[in-house]
Amino acid sequence: MRLYHHPRDAAPVHRELTALGTLQRKVRERRARRQAIQAAAVQVFSDKGFSRATMEDIARQAELSVGTIYLYYRSKEELYVSLLFESMKIFTGAIEKIMATGLPPDRQLKKVWEYFYTYHTRYPQSYRVLLFLQQPGLTAGISPKTLQEINVRAGRNFSLVSRVVAAAMAKGIYRAHEPREVVDLLWSLFLGLVHLSETRQNLGVTISTLKDLHRKAFRWLEAGLRPR
Amino acid sequence: MRLYHHPRDAAPVHRELTALGTLQRKVRERRARRQAIQAAAVQVFSDKGFSRATMEDIARQAELSVGTIYLYYRSKEELYVSLLFESMKIFTGAIEKIMATGLPPDRQLKKVWEYFYTYHTRYPQSYRVLLFLQQPGLTAGISPKTLQEINVRAGRNFSLVSRVVAAAMAKGIYRAHEPREVVDLLWSLFLGLVHLSETRQNLGVTISTLKDLHRKAFRWLEAGLRPR
Amino acid sequence: MRLYHHPRDAAPVHRELTALGTLQRKVRERRARRQAIQAAAVQVFSDKGFSRATMEDIARQAELSVGTIYLYYRSKEELYVSLLFESMKIFTGAIEKIMATGLPPDRQLKKVWEYFYTYHTRYPQSYRVLLFLQQPGLTAGISPKTLQEINVRAGRNFSLVSRVVAAAMAKGIYRAHEPREVVDLLWSLFLGLVHLSETRQNLGVTISTLKDLHRKAFRWLEAGLRPR
Amino acid sequence: MRLYHHPRDAAPVHRELTALGTLQRKVRERRARRQAIQAAAVQVFSDKGFSRATMEDIARQAELSVGTIYLYYRSKEELYVSLLFESMKIFTGAIEKIMATGLPPDRQLKKVWEYFYTYHTRYPQSYRVLLFLQQPGLTAGISPKTLQEINVRAGRNFSLVSRVVAAAMAKGIYRAHEPREVVDLLWSLFLGLVHLSETRQNLGVTISTLKDLHRKAFRWLEAGLRPR
DNA sequence: GATGAATGAGCATTCATTCAT
DNA sequence: CATGAATGAATGCTCATTCAT
């Protein structure tokens, strides 16, 4: 396990300028390959978990050779982290879009909460990738710089939602709380719901679907937020 | 990895009946050994995670040989599951004790919620062990029978708390809901809070401790439960 | 490649004293295994060179599994270094034996020179192992402490022979030189002769055997040492 | 690793005859490319050793692509051997120049000996390349024809120096020996001196430089050659 | 029962070589 | 011709599990 690595994301430096069209195609292809690998990795990681997933599994899934993956990612860890970044980016985008709607803040919050579920439905694996970060020892293989980057990006997402909550409080729609803490609770609740429902699925229990719990949870939570 | 295994928990059958006293000592020693192994395993699993923990780590921690562990547990998976059982047993006991106090049900619920935190503080490793069940692929190494047993025990715990919630509703302290769902939400929320705070710890972020969030979460949640 | 490692040579620590006989047997077996592995390694390393030799080759040669080798040596490098130590030990022993004969120093030197050849004939692989140290990059995988140890042991051998040469000079048998430099030349010459003859063998050339060159070289060299 | 290969050195055959000037330019360019690759390879091989050097290292050093190297050399082995040829050619040239001076043969021999050192100083890497031939297993990747070629060229160099030695003997400057064997000893001694000093450098020992040993060695050796 | 040496399948990673563009 | 992306066999090392003592 290489502990840290330099990013392999940077565009390759060409000594002489090749035809512009060719260069563009190259860049496009490179991006496409990266995405293909990520798609395969998301699948495999979420099927087997980080440790049990093998690079060969991922290669097979991507219909590529193992060596090729290492042309795009320096290590299993780096590949994993790239998935995390991707997840976070999608999240950020979705939240920003909701905030741009100009809806009343409580309606926005509801949409955010709904997006949690949508995201989980659409990218169930990406979701699970997020959960890996809790695994002890995983962070040992990630460079401090990358960890810092993860923090920044995660913090950004939390801040965005905090702003929505703060707006609702400012308008008196919600009672005064520390907005950031409200977001922590919201997110924790969703995290826990997913965890619970997945555990139950693992164990073969079928009661109370995530969908159901998710809907009811918000109503209940919001009731606690609104003034009496 | 053996997929399923016969339980090794039953007392060994002796060809010739030894003196009763000797037998009892044997049983006692066997139980003690199992506990020593479990204690070591809880420590190692929670330090390194399931995959990264090695049987030798556990043997060293227990000051036993690897071979001996296999005299008590058929596989790494089975050893892990035994920890889970232990966790659940402790939980059950604590909840039953709370229910036996005769306190008003909302006070009991508060105590249960507080116990979540106490348990996490006192047995942080055991807690983490609980989370493993969500890991995909882990259940592959556990026999259906054992899975079933886990379900039964987990269900029992949920039912116990449900009864407390139901009692509070019956008395009009809480508004009418499906008690079982309320428990799901409570548990999910706590699960998520732990997850969030551990992830942050892994990433080196120190804002908003679990203790703080845990306390505030209940006040907020309960507000949503009580009639207006 | 692990860079440094703790020695695995130390006798295992037993918690409780087992029967003395059993313990002795264990130690004896452990030593025997180590020697079996070394014998296999010497063979394989000298057949294929350090880089091309694989741990599986060595295991196969030793009729053991790969894992077993790692029970005795932490890495390929450590295994290699152990061979080097062994070579040097044999050398030291042989030279000390010659020095203990009480022969006149020039006769002793002749015997040392002859031992160079004997050693090469008897342990041709061990000899080649010594040569590896010149390979650039190999030392990168060896801990400074171990390197230091190699230096000490090598220096000891050079010093022993120096003493023989110094004695001959003191008695006026040889002209005055820096004894250490004479030894450097002697050793270099032998090293070079082996190198040349092995290269020729590699290339399929059969002229002038090492045996022949070795004998003539000493006569010629000594002529330059003796007073006119 | 391909075992044998057809030479790729021959000028390419063009289907249609291009203008003579163009052809010449092509040949010139081809030669220049080969030299650029060789220069890079010498550097990398001597830095890392044969096994640890990668084709990509060499390509990067030559500021070319890996593919291009394979247009000029069929394999890593062939590239390596081409370096050997180059080394030998330079050697031959230098010795012939010394022989053309018309100096007395013992003076010529001294100059040859000095050239050994000069060459090692000026092309330390090329020197190390020579040493590779001793490595067992390397020759497996070289065709018999190429091995034969190496032999012929090496033999040529030995013969040249032999002629110098023979001349000195004919004039009574040296005592009668088999000239070829004297050359073997000379060359072995130098080889050994380089080996010894490089090993010491690898191990971090700084006593007795090559320069010093080299100078003293000749004085001492020649003393053994001259009549009493 | 207890031990711990032995096993060997499994895995991340590297690198010589090929080939479509 | 030149490129460099793709390949996949090869390798050092790990670790769950077994079994002779």
Side-chain angles (χ1 to χ4, degrees):
Chain A
M1 179 183 72
R2 287 255 198 90
L3 283 194
Y4 310 146
H5 359 258
H6 306 292
R8 283 215 167 175
D9 223 344
V13 179
H14 288 268
R15 229 177 304 280
E16 299 180 37
L17 203 66
T18 45
L20 196 63
T22 306
L23 184 62
Q24 282 180 334
R25 184 170 49 72
K26 285 275 172 79
V27 170
R28 215 167 42 238
E29 280 174 1
R30 187 168 178 84
R31 208 173 290 157
R33 265 280 195 270
R34 279 185 75 93
Q35 276 172 8
I37 294 171
Q38 286 188 334
V42 155
Q43 189 67 54
V44 174
F45 278 139
S46 71
D47 282 358
K48 305 197 160 192
F50 181 80
S51 290
R52 301 167 111 91
T54 74
M55 292 304 267
E56 205 183 312
D57 288 338
I58 297 170
R60 202 179 311 115
Q61 178 76 24
E63 300 187 41
L64 285 171
S65 69
V66 205
T68 303
I69 295 181
Y70 281 89
L71 290 177
Y72 291 86
Y73 299 93
R74 295 220 180 227
S75 69
K76 199 180 166 189
E77 268 91 0
E78 186 178 306
L79 173 53
Y80 165 69
V81 169
S82 85
L83 298 185
L84 194 64
F85 279 179
E86 218 53 36
S87 295
M88 287 173 158
K89 218 183 290 175
I90 296 177
F91 242 94
T92 310
I95 295 170
E96 280 171 342
K97 212 161 127 191
I98 290 169
M99 291 177 73
T101 56
L103 289 170
D106 56 337
R107 295 275 303 157
Q108 281 186 28
L109 192 65
K110 182 149 201 272
K111 289 225 169 275
V112 168
W113 178 258
E114 278 162 2
Y115 180 70
F116 287 174
Y117 183 73
T118 306
Y119 180 69
H120 176 260
T121 311
R122 199 172 303 160
Y123 314 100
Q125 316 98 331
S126 298
Y127 207 88
R128 223 168 291 169
V129 163
L130 263 170
L131 297 184
F132 287 169
L133 266 195
Q134 186 267 339
Q135 274 187 54
L138 183 71
T139 45
I142 306 178
S143 78
K145 203 181 143 195
T146 306
L147 284 179
Q148 182 53 27
E149 185 64 22
I150 294 175
N151 284 336
V152 168
R153 296 191 185 214
R156 193 179 303 152
N157 282 347
F158 275 84
S159 294
L160 281 176
V161 186
S162 291
R163 247 188 282 161
V164 176
V165 173
M169 291 176 182
K171 292 199 173 178
I173 304 174
Y174 294 154
R175 284 185 292 156
H177 286 278
E178 179 55 50
R180 178 63 183 251
E181 287 178 354
V182 172
V183 179
D184 283 352
L185 294 186
L186 273 174
W187 179 245
S188 295
L189 181 55
F190 188 65
L191 221 51
L193 287 172
V194 169
H195 203 124
L196 182 66
S197 66
E198 296 206 333
T199 301
R200 283 187 176 151
Q201 224 168 350
N202 264 347
L203 293 175
V205 184
T206 48
I207 58 163
S208 54
T209 62
L210 176 60
K211 183 173 182 166
D212 227 43
L213 286 171
H214 169 262
R215 190 161 32 78
K216 289 180 181 166
F218 192 72
R219 261 191 265 147
W220 187 35
L221 268 179
E222 233 205 354
L225 274 179
R226 293 188 186 276
R228 317 218 134 213
Chain B
M1 180 184 72
R2 285 262 199 85
L3 284 192
Y4 308 144
H5 1 258
H6 307 293
R8 282 214 167 175
D9 223 343
V13 178
H14 290 267
R15 234 178 285 274
E16 300 180 38
L17 203 64
T18 49
L20 193 65
T22 306
L23 184 61
Q24 282 180 333
R25 182 169 54 72
K26 285 279 173 77
V27 170
R28 218 167 40 240
E29 279 175 2
R30 190 169 176 83
R31 208 173 289 156
R33 266 277 201 274
R34 282 185 72 93
Q35 277 172 8
I37 295 171
Q38 287 185 335
V42 158
Q43 190 67 51
V44 174
F45 279 139
S46 72
D47 283 358
K48 304 194 159 193
F50 180 80
S51 289
R52 302 166 116 92
T54 73
M55 292 304 266
E56 203 182 314
D57 288 338
I58 296 168
R60 204 181 309 117
Q61 177 78 22
E63 304 192 21
L64 284 172
S65 70
V66 256
T68 303
I69 296 182
Y70 279 88
L71 291 175
Y72 291 86
Y73 300 92
R74 294 233 177 214
S75 70
K76 199 181 167 188
E77 269 89 1
E78 187 177 307
L79 172 54
Y80 162 70
V81 169
S82 84
L83 299 184
L84 193 65
F85 279 0
E86 219 52 37
S87 296
M88 287 173 157
K89 217 183 290 175
I90 296 177
F91 243 94
T92 310
I95 295 170
E96 281 171 341
K97 214 162 124 191
I98 291 170
M99 291 178 73
T101 57
L103 289 170
D106 56 339
R107 294 277 301 158
Q108 281 187 28
L109 192 64
K110 182 151 200 267
K111 287 226 173 273
V112 168
W113 177 257
E114 277 162 4
Y115 181 71
F116 288 175
Y117 182 75
T118 304
Y119 180 71
H120 176 260
T121 310
R122 199 172 305 161
Y123 313 100
Q125 317 97 330
S126 299
Y127 206 87
R128 221 170 289 168
V129 163
L130 260 170
L131 299 183
F132 287 172
L133 267 196
Q134 186 267 339
Q135 273 187 54
L138 184 72
T139 45
I142 306 178
S143 75
K145 200 182 147 195
T146 306
L147 284 180
Q148 183 51 27
E149 185 64 23
I150 295 175
N151 285 335
V152 169
R153 298 194 184 211
R156 190 179 306 152
N157 282 346
F158 274 85
S159 294
L160 281 176
V161 186
S162 291
R163 249 188 280 158
V164 176
V165 173
M169 290 178 181
K171 291 199 172 178
I173 304 175
Y174 294 155
R175 284 185 290 159
H177 286 278
E178 179 55 49
R180 178 63 185 252
E181 286 178 356
V182 172
V183 180
D184 283 352
L185 294 187
L186 273 173
W187 180 244
S188 295
L189 180 55
F190 188 66
L191 220 52
L193 286 173
V194 170
H195 202 123
L196 181 67
S197 67
E198 295 206 334
T199 301
R200 283 188 177 151
Q201 225 168 351
N202 264 348
L203 294 175
V205 183
T206 49
I207 56 164
S208 55
T209 63
L210 175 60
K211 184 175 182 167
D212 227 44
L213 286 171
H214 169 262
R215 191 164 29 80
K216 289 180 182 164
F218 191 72
R219 261 192 264 147
W220 188 34
L221 269 179
E222 232 206 356
L225 275 178
R226 295 186 184 278
R228 315 222 134 209
Chain C
M1 180 181 73
R2 289 256 198 87
L3 284 194
Y4 310 145
H5 1 258
H6 307 292
R8 281 215 166 175
D9 225 342
V13 178
H14 289 268
R15 230 178 302 283
E16 300 180 37
L17 202 65
T18 47
L20 195 64
T22 307
L23 184 64
Q24 282 180 334
R25 184 170 50 70
K26 284 277 172 77
V27 170
R28 215 167 42 237
E29 279 174 1
R30 189 169 176 82
R31 208 173 290 156
R33 264 280 194 272
R34 280 184 75 94
Q35 276 171 10
I37 295 171
Q38 285 187 336
V42 156
Q43 190 67 55
V44 174
F45 278 139
S46 71
D47 282 359
K48 304 197 159 193
F50 181 80
S51 290
R52 301 167 111 91
T54 74
M55 291 305 267
E56 206 183 314
D57 289 337
I58 296 170
R60 203 179 311 116
Q61 176 77 23
E63 301 187 41
L64 285 172
S65 70
V66 200
T68 302
I69 295 181
Y70 280 90
L71 290 177
Y72 292 85
Y73 299 93
R74 295 222 180 226
S75 68
K76 199 181 167 189
E77 268 90 0
E78 186 178 305
L79 174 52
Y80 165 69
V81 170
S82 84
L83 298 185
L84 195 62
F85 280 180
E86 218 53 38
S87 295
M88 288 174 157
K89 219 183 289 176
I90 296 178
F91 242 94
T92 310
I95 295 170
E96 281 170 341
K97 215 162 125 189
I98 291 170
M99 290 177 74
T101 57
L103 289 169
D106 56 338
R107 294 275 303 156
Q108 281 187 28
L109 191 64
K110 182 149 200 270
K111 289 224 170 276
V112 168
W113 178 258
E114 276 162 4
Y115 181 70
F116 287 175
Y117 181 74
T118 306
Y119 180 70
H120 177 259
T121 309
R122 199 171 304 161
Y123 313 102
Q125 316 96 332
S126 298
Y127 207 87
R128 224 168 288 168
V129 162
L130 264 171
L131 298 182
F132 287 170
L133 267 196
Q134 186 267 340
Q135 274 187 54
L138 183 71
T139 46
I142 307 178
S143 79
K145 201 181 145 195
T146 306
L147 284 180
Q148 181 53 27
E149 186 63 23
I150 295 176
N151 284 335
V152 169
R153 296 191 185 214
R156 191 178 303 152
N157 282 347
F158 274 84
S159 294
L160 281 176
V161 186
S162 291
R163 247 188 282 160
V164 176
V165 173
M169 290 176 181
K171 291 199 174 178
I173 304 174
Y174 293 156
R175 285 185 290 158
H177 287 279
E178 180 54 51
R180 179 63 184 251
E181 286 178 356
V182 172
V183 179
D184 282 353
L185 295 187
L186 273 173
W187 179 245
S188 295
L189 180 56
F190 188 65
L191 220 52
L193 287 172
V194 170
H195 202 125
L196 181 67
S197 67
E198 296 206 333
T199 302
R200 284 189 175 149
Q201 225 167 352
N202 265 346
L203 293 175
V205 183
T206 49
I207 54 162
S208 54
T209 63
L210 176 59
K211 184 173 182 169
D212 227 42
L213 285 172
H214 170 261
R215 190 162 33 76
K216 289 181 182 165
F218 191 72
R219 259 191 266 146
W220 187 34
L221 267 181
E222 233 204 354
L225 274 180
R226 293 186 185 278
R228 314 222 134 209
Chain D
M1 179 183 72
R2 286 263 198 85
L3 285 193
Y4 308 144
H5 2 258
H6 306 292
R8 282 214 167 175
D9 223 345
V13 178
H14 289 269
R15 236 177 285 275
E16 301 179 36
L17 202 66
T18 47
L20 193 65
T22 307
L23 183 62
Q24 282 181 333
R25 182 168 55 70
K26 285 277 172 78
V27 171
R28 218 166 40 239
E29 280 175 0
R30 190 169 176 82
R31 208 173 289 158
R33 265 278 202 274
R34 282 184 72 94
Q35 276 172 8
I37 295 172
Q38 286 187 334
V42 157
Q43 188 67 52
V44 174
F45 279 137
S46 71
D47 283 358
K48 303 194 160 194
F50 181 79
S51 287
R52 302 166 116 92
T54 73
M55 292 303 267
E56 203 182 313
D57 288 338
I58 296 168
R60 203 181 312 114
Q61 177 77 24
E63 304 192 24
L64 285 171
S65 70
V66 257
T68 302
I69 296 182
Y70 279 86
L71 291 176
Y72 291 86
Y73 300 93
R74 294 232 176 214
S75 70
K76 201 182 168 188
E77 269 89 2
E78 188 177 306
L79 172 53
Y80 163 68
V81 170
S82 83
L83 299 185
L84 193 65
F85 279 180
E86 218 50 37
S87 294
M88 288 173 156
K89 216 185 291 174
I90 297 179
F91 243 93
T92 310
I95 294 169
E96 281 171 340
K97 215 163 124 190
I98 290 170
M99 291 178 73
T101 56
L103 289 170
D106 56 339
R107 295 276 303 156
Q108 281 186 27
L109 191 65
K110 183 151 200 268
K111 288 228 170 273
V112 168
W113 178 258
E114 277 162 3
Y115 181 70
F116 287 175
Y117 182 74
T118 305
Y119 180 70
H120 176 261
T121 310
R122 199 173 303 161
Y123 313 101
Q125 318 97 331
S126 299
Y127 206 86
R128 221 169 289 169
V129 162
L130 260 171
L131 299 182
F132 287 171
L133 265 197
Q134 187 268 337
Q135 273 187 55
L138 184 71
T139 46
I142 307 178
S143 75
K145 199 181 146 195
T146 307
L147 284 180
Q148 182 53 27
E149 184 64 23
I150 294 175
N151 284 336
V152 169
R153 297 195 184 211
R156 191 178 303 152
N157 281 346
F158 275 85
S159 295
L160 282 176
V161 186
S162 290
R163 245 187 283 159
V164 175
V165 173
M169 290 176 182
K171 291 198 174 181
I173 303 174
Y174 294 155
R175 283 184 291 157
H177 286 279
E178 178 55 51
R180 179 61 184 252
E181 285 178 357
V182 172
V183 179
D184 283 352
L185 295 187
L186 272 174
W187 179 244
S188 294
L189 180 56
F190 188 66
L191 220 52
L193 287 173
V194 169
H195 202 123
L196 181 67
S197 67
E198 295 205 334
T199 300
R200 284 190 175 147
Q201 224 168 352
N202 264 349
L203 292 175
V205 184
T206 49
I207 54 163
S208 56
T209 61
L210 176 60
K211 185 175 182 166
D212 228 42
L213 285 173
H214 169 261
R215 192 163 29 78
K216 289 180 183 166
F218 192 72
R219 260 191 265 147
W220 188 33
L221 269 180
E222 234 205 353
L225 274 180
R226 292 186 187 279
R228 315 216 135 213

